[in-house]
Amino acid sequence: MKRSRIADAGLLLVALMWGCTFLIVQHAVRVLPPLAFNGIRFIGAALLLLLIIGAFYRSELRKLSWPMVGHAVILGGLLFLGYGFQTVGLLYTTTSNTGFITGLSVVLVPLFSLLLLKTPITRYTLGSIVLAAIGLYLLAFAESGYTMNRGDLLVFLCAIAFALHVAYTGVFAPKYPALPLTVLQMAVVGILSLLGSAFTEQAGSLEQVVPLLLKPEVLWALCISIGPTSAFAFWIQTSCQKYTSPARVAVIFAMEPVFAAITGVLFGGEILGMAAIVGCGCILAGMLLSELKSPNLEVQ
């Protein structure tokens, strides 16, 4: 099997993990403030990957360099901005708007990768982007329709940050070993999140926070988030982006709300209407179309 196919399968697994754990994290941040949760989540992910390096990949530590640190700060900073704008935006807009606007990174990534990597936008890529965007709209607004809120601009800034993260990962991932690059960016997100929490959230004293951390919904969410959906997910993404284009990554990641919707139906008692089902089908069709190559049919 070609490395690009393996990479796409790995990225689809990441989208599956993120989509299926959305409800778990959503319940946890109702107890623990979001930035505090993310701080613990990403610091924990960095420590977990550091333990893996110490146990199995000690030679990777010798590959650390100042350029890698600088580029990891860029990637981690973009991730932090993405999560930060999304969290604040949720205070002023709906979850449907947030899901749709965040998903618009599928449109932004090819534009950024064209500027950063000079990657041409083929007709197949353009078609997959259009299908994914239509699917996201149907999935988010199948019943209610789009209504603009004042938090939508913040969420759009979140989409830009996530799109830039995917695009810049396509720039930096081929230059460095994936594991130390992932450790560094996880640490950056964790530190910035804790600093942001200290200045903007009322998490309480250590004596007040510890009981919150021990609540089952928070403890379970942290176990899932630190390992599968942070440490391993971003390790997989960083590794896989050596072998596939940022545009295809964006289309594959558009499957995350599809997996989230399926999880909501199976475990959250939610019901999908026909339009939402069609939306899921459009996103899936876009992902499959992105697997087709058309090197001679570029959109100028």
Side-chain angles (χ1 to χ4, degrees):
M1 185 182 293
K2 292 182 179 180
R3 285 182 173 181
S4 62
R5 293 290 184 266
I6 296 174
D8 290 350
L11 292 165
L12 185 61
L13 175 63
V14 170
L16 173 65
M17 290 190 294
W18 285 340
C20 290
T21 56
F22 181 80
L23 279 176
I24 297 173
V25 174
Q26 191 178 44
H27 290 154
V29 295
R30 291 173 182 168
V31 178
L32 192 67
L35 286 177
F37 178 87
N38 281 334
I40 297 169
R41 166 186 178 179
F42 285 104
I43 290 292
L47 292 174
L48 175 59
L49 290 176
L50 199 58
L51 287 174
I52 292 173
I53 290 178
F56 303 106
Y57 302 99
R58 291 186 181 180
S59 61
E60 299 283 89
L61 293 176
R62 293 195 292 270
K63 299 177 183 178
L64 288 171
S65 64
W66 285 114
M68 183 194 294
V69 173
H71 291 154
V73 169
I74 292 173
L75 293 177
L78 289 170
L79 267 184
F80 166 74
L81 289 174
Y83 283 111
F85 282 128
Q86 188 180 65
T87 301
V88 178
L90 273 170
L91 298 174
Y92 306 104
T93 189
T94 64
T95 54
S96 294
N97 284 22
T98 301
F100 172 65
I101 297 172
T102 302
L104 287 180
S105 59
V106 72
V107 178
L108 298 174
V109 168
L111 299 178
F112 292 144
S113 62
L114 177 64
L115 296 174
L116 298 172
L117 297 173
K118 309 303 180 185
T119 304
I121 304 176
T122 68
R123 285 187 171 86
Y124 288 108
T125 300
L126 184 60
S128 65
I129 291 167
V130 171
L131 280 171
I134 292 172
L136 286 167
Y137 180 85
L138 291 173
L139 189 57
F141 308 116
E143 304 298 331
S144 60
Y146 177 71
T147 302
M148 183 172 290
N149 292 280
R150 59 177 176 167
D152 290 351
L153 176 58
L154 293 173
V155 180
F156 185 65
L157 293 176
C158 149
I160 292 175
F162 283 146
L164 284 170
H165 178 265
V166 172
Y168 271 111
T169 299
V171 175
F172 300 143
K175 297 181 179 180
Y176 307 110
L179 193 48
L181 182 61
T182 307
V183 170
L184 290 171
Q185 64 173 308
M186 294 296 96
V188 170
V189 181
I191 292 170
L192 292 176
S193 296
L194 289 179
L195 289 174
S197 177
F199 286 104
T200 64
E201 295 177 340
Q202 299 296 324
S205 64
L206 184 62
E207 291 78 9
Q208 294 172 314
V209 170
V210 170
L212 297 179
L213 293 176
L214 295 178
K215 287 194 172 185
E217 60 269 38
V218 176
L219 196 59
W220 175 239
L222 283 173
C223 288
I224 295 296
S225 298
I226 287 173
T229 64
S230 293
F232 299 132
F234 286 104
W235 183 10
I236 291 170
Q237 180 189 350
T238 306
S239 300
C240 290
Q241 281 205 235
K242 297 175 186 286
Y243 309 111
T244 191
S245 71
R248 286 169 71 178
V249 175
V251 175
I252 292 170
F253 281 176
M255 286 293 293
E256 179 187 347
V258 175
F259 292 129
I262 294 172
T263 303
V265 170
L266 294 178
F267 302 103
E270 299 177 6
I271 299 175
L272 288 183
M274 181 54 65
I277 294 172
V278 172
C280 292
C282 287
I283 296 173
L284 178 60
M287 188 194 69
L288 295 175
L289 183 61
S290 72
E291 292 298 307
L292 300 176
K293 295 183 178 180
S294 180
N296 298 319
L297 297 175
E298 298 176 4
V299 174
Q300 302 297 330

